[in-house]
Amino acid sequence: MDTPQKQWMALYTKPRNEKKVADRLEKAGYEVYCPTYTTLRQWSDRKKKVTIPAIPSYCFIKVEENKRWNVLQDPGAVRFVYWQGKPAIIQEIHLHAFKRFMGEVEEEDQIFNAEISEGDRVLLRKGGFMGVEADVLNIKSNGNLELLLPDLGVKVICQKKNVDKI
């Protein structure tokens, strides 16, 4: 039997509970991402730097399908975000792009540790075909990948470091 696969999902939280929910779920052993930024706020008597969520009332969690309901036991968690009647799954590549947009990872950071094998679908990150999805046909002994770009009907050779598994 297949082991359940963890997937990124969006979790709707009570207002102003995003960071607290993320902290509690991380302590419970989940991989959680709550995008924040620091800004200067002014009150009548002082100025202070505060860290606030970039997306109010949302955080992202990587969880197995059968553990979703355990996450909702957190007092600040309200529900998962649904799309067409199913929990909305967020692709790792999209979360990585958002982190890059937020300035949390550099362009060259490698956060994907998944092994690429023949038959996988990958996303090209550099070069003339940047942003195009491709199928892995063959893995060369030097580590290069032979890819098929199905939308274009083109076969290309690419360095492994320039693709992300999706």
Side-chain angles (χ1 to χ4, degrees):
M1 187 170 156
D2 290 337
T3 57
Q5 184 178 359
K6 291 183 178 181
Q7 297 176 316
W8 284 102
M9 297 181 184
L11 180 64
Y12 184 71
T13 67
K14 290 181 180 176
R16 298 186 180 149
N17 274 249
E18 307 88 345
K19 293 188 296 183
K20 295 174 206 164
V21 169
D23 289 343
R24 284 192 296 259
L25 292 173
E26 276 183 358
K27 287 179 185 171
Y30 294 99
E31 189 176 347
V32 181
Y33 175 55
C34 181
T36 60
Y37 66 96
T38 303
T39 186
L40 188 64
R41 291 284 168 101
Q42 183 171 348
W43 287 266
S44 60
D45 61 336
R46 68 189 186 285
K47 289 182 182 179
K48 185 178 180 182
K49 284 186 178 180
V50 293
T51 302
I52 58 175
I55 307 173
S57 296
Y58 288 91
C59 63
F60 304 97
I61 183 166
K62 193 170 190 177
V63 66
E64 298 169 4
E65 177 71 26
N66 61 355
K67 306 264 177 157
R68 281 190 310 117
W69 302 113
N70 296 343
V71 171
L72 294 177
Q73 300 305 310
D74 185 281
V78 175
R79 62 182 163 81
F80 283 95
V81 176
Y82 279 74
W83 173 253
Q84 295 183 345
K86 296 179 184 176
I89 305 299
I90 299 162
Q91 299 288 329
E92 184 122 13
I93 187 74
H94 296 149
L95 203 63
H96 180 17
F98 187 75
K99 286 180 180 181
R100 195 168 46 231
F101 171 76
M102 293 295 294
E104 296 178 20
V105 292
E106 295 297 321
E107 185 68 34
E108 294 300 318
D109 281 355
Q110 296 294 323
I111 66 165
F112 299 100
N113 297 324
E115 281 298 316
I116 296 174
S117 56
E118 292 179 16
D120 285 345
R121 176 140 304 196
V122 294
L123 181 70
L124 302 176
R125 293 191 308 151
K126 291 188 178 177
F129 295 112
M130 184 172 84
V132 174
E133 291 184 6
D135 297 318
V136 178
L137 296 177
N138 189 10
I139 301 174
K140 304 286 187 181
S141 58
N142 63 2
N144 287 347
L145 304 173
E146 186 176 303
L147 304 173
L148 172 66
L149 308 178
D151 294 340
L152 303 173
V154 175
K155 196 186 287 189
V156 296
I157 305 291
C158 185
Q159 292 180 347
K160 203 173 194 178
K161 68 179 183 176
N162 294 330
V163 299
D164 291 324
K165 185 175 177 181
I166 53 176

